[in-house]
Amino acid sequence: MWEVDTPTLTTGADPFIRQPYERYSEENHQAWRALYARMLPRWERYANRHFQQGIDSLCLDPNRIPKLDDVNRFLRPLTGFQAKAVSGYIPSFLFFDCLRNRQFPTTVTVRRLDALDYLPEPDIFHDVAGHVPMHTDPHFAETLVRFGECAHTAAEIVSGIRDEEVRVHTLTRIIKAMARFFWFTIEFGLMRSPDGLRVYGSGLLSSFGEIEHAIVSPDVQRYPIQLEWAINQAFEIDHYQPLLFIVDSFDHLFSLVDQLEKWMKEGKLSNVAPGEPIVIEQDLKSFLDRSAQ
Ligand SMILES: [Fe+2]
């Protein structure tokens, strides 16, 4: 939609920008309106109740792209979280570190009105309507912070490895395990509820087609989450997910993050199965920069 210079980010750099609100066109707002209107009945049917409460407490405008400052006015008193504008990709250590600081890097661009279903990368609808309502829940917020702390644990662990090849191998596998965990929970997680399975993952909460597919399609395998399975399970991002994992509650999710960190310290993440996602150089570097400090 617009060009914003992306600075080369290093650990400690502030990745945030101002949301250039005046640059949204009427068509951009129309895209938001259309996305929001068609998701609303699906949220009522398939989203978990914490998300529904979150949508209510954020007072999101169904008709206009939200101003992040307005969103934060409602969000911050609830959990301390804030949605902070970024111009694009954030290297993974910095992203996780932002979570630790209760800052959620938020994309400010919106998908095109004539391509509402096509989403190669996050946009403001995914981030603000899919993720941020979950950040109003204290248990979920604590889980994200805890996950952010795991990134520091990872950096610390690899800083103690002298051999460079072993260090890079170990770190690559740990990042892979963390990315898989994030994918199968925060992005695509399902949760039990008295009314049956409900969605809490933001990739599903922001997808008109997949939110329903995730709950009703016979083509989806749905299993109670097992940490050792999730961290060894490859995933692909360009089609509906054929395999989803179920948690019992956010307390359960929090305990899984604890377990993840414990296993990381014990070396159990250092040799997870190869395969997707590919860990890119920039992500590795973001952790290595931190561990060199
Ligand atoms: Fe996301």
Side-chain angles (χ1 to χ4, degrees):
M1 186 174 59
W2 57 67
E3 296 294 321
V4 186
D5 288 339
T6 308
T8 306
L9 295 171
T10 55
T11 309
D14 181 350
F16 305 123
I17 60 167
R18 183 186 68 85
Q19 181 185 18
Y21 197 83
E22 66 289 349
R23 293 169 75 172
Y24 292 119
S25 65
E26 239 353 272
E27 198 177 312
N28 294 150
H29 290 296
Q30 274 174 30
W32 174 272
R33 189 177 312 141
L35 287 162
Y36 200 95
R38 68 180 195 164
M39 280 314 292
L40 205 52
R42 298 219 159 174
W43 286 334
E44 281 163 10
R45 198 146 167 211
Y46 301 117
N48 76 94
R49 66 183 170 83
H50 304 275
F51 176 84
Q52 313 253 30
Q53 287 160 3
I55 285 278
D56 290 345
S57 45
L58 291 177
C59 302
L60 292 179
D61 184 341
N63 295 312
R64 313 287 293 172
I65 293 171
K67 287 184 180 157
L68 298 187
D69 288 345
D70 292 342
V71 172
N72 291 335
R73 226 186 326 266
F74 292 106
L75 174 60
R76 205 174 176 165
L78 296 172
T79 60
F81 257 84
Q82 294 178 77
K84 305 272 278 181
V86 293
S87 60
Y89 174 75
I90 302 285
S92 58
F93 181 84
L94 287 175
F95 179 83
F96 297 143
D97 194 43
C98 287
L99 298 182
R100 192 179 69 103
N101 293 315
R102 296 177 192 263
Q103 296 166 325
F104 182 66
T106 303
T107 316
V108 288
T109 50
V110 68
R111 71 196 82 175
R112 288 159 50 122
L113 183 58
D114 60 0
L116 294 183
D117 291 322
Y118 180 65
L119 189 63
E121 50 202 20
D123 73 344
I124 194 167
F125 189 77
H126 170 76
D127 280 348
V128 170
H131 278 282
V132 175
M134 297 305 305
H135 304 167
T136 60
D137 182 86
H139 292 99
F140 188 83
E142 287 308 322
T143 304
L144 283 187
V145 171
R146 192 75 192 83
F147 189 75
E149 287 169 356
C150 288
H152 279 260
T153 305
E156 213 172 289
I157 288 169
V158 297
S159 72
I161 302 175
R162 293 253 173 109
D163 184 288
E164 198 189 330
E165 211 175 301
V166 177
R167 186 164 65 235
V168 169
H169 171 88
T170 305
L171 182 57
T172 304
R173 295 300 166 93
I174 290 176
I175 296 174
K176 208 181 272 289
M178 290 184 71
R180 287 172 177 165
F181 180 83
F182 196 87
W183 182 264
F184 286 113
T185 58
I186 309 303
E187 293 290 357
F188 285 90
L190 301 179
M191 188 160 58
R192 283 185 215 290
S193 87
D195 307 316
L197 283 185
R198 289 290 179 266
V199 165
Y200 74 91
S202 306
L204 297 173
L205 289 164
S206 60
S207 168
F208 177 71
E210 195 166 2
I211 191 172
E212 185 167 82
H213 187 264
I215 297 292
V216 304
S217 171
D219 299 334
V220 178
Q221 304 179 77
R222 305 171 189 88
Y223 291 109
I225 192 162
Q226 292 172 41
L227 190 55
E228 56 273 63
W229 184 355
I231 61 178
N232 285 289
Q233 176 65 52
F235 61 84
E236 292 167 348
I237 64 169
D238 55 354
H239 52 77
Y240 286 178
Q241 298 300 306
L243 169 64
L244 298 171
F245 291 116
I246 305 160
V247 299
D248 296 332
S249 63
F250 290 144
D251 283 345
H252 180 205
L253 185 61
F254 188 90
S255 71
L256 290 169
V257 179
D258 267 348
Q259 186 76 17
L260 184 79
E261 189 186 47
K262 189 163 167 272
W263 284 6
M264 192 189 288
K265 287 177 177 167
E266 291 170 0
K268 284 190 184 173
L269 308 190
S270 306
N271 281 301
V272 293
E276 297 287 331
I278 302 303
V279 177
I280 63 169
E281 192 64 40
Q282 233 182 327
D283 287 335
L284 266 177
K285 188 174 177 311
S286 67
F287 276 81
L288 290 170
D289 284 352
R290 170 67 201 195
S291 63
Q293 283 177 3

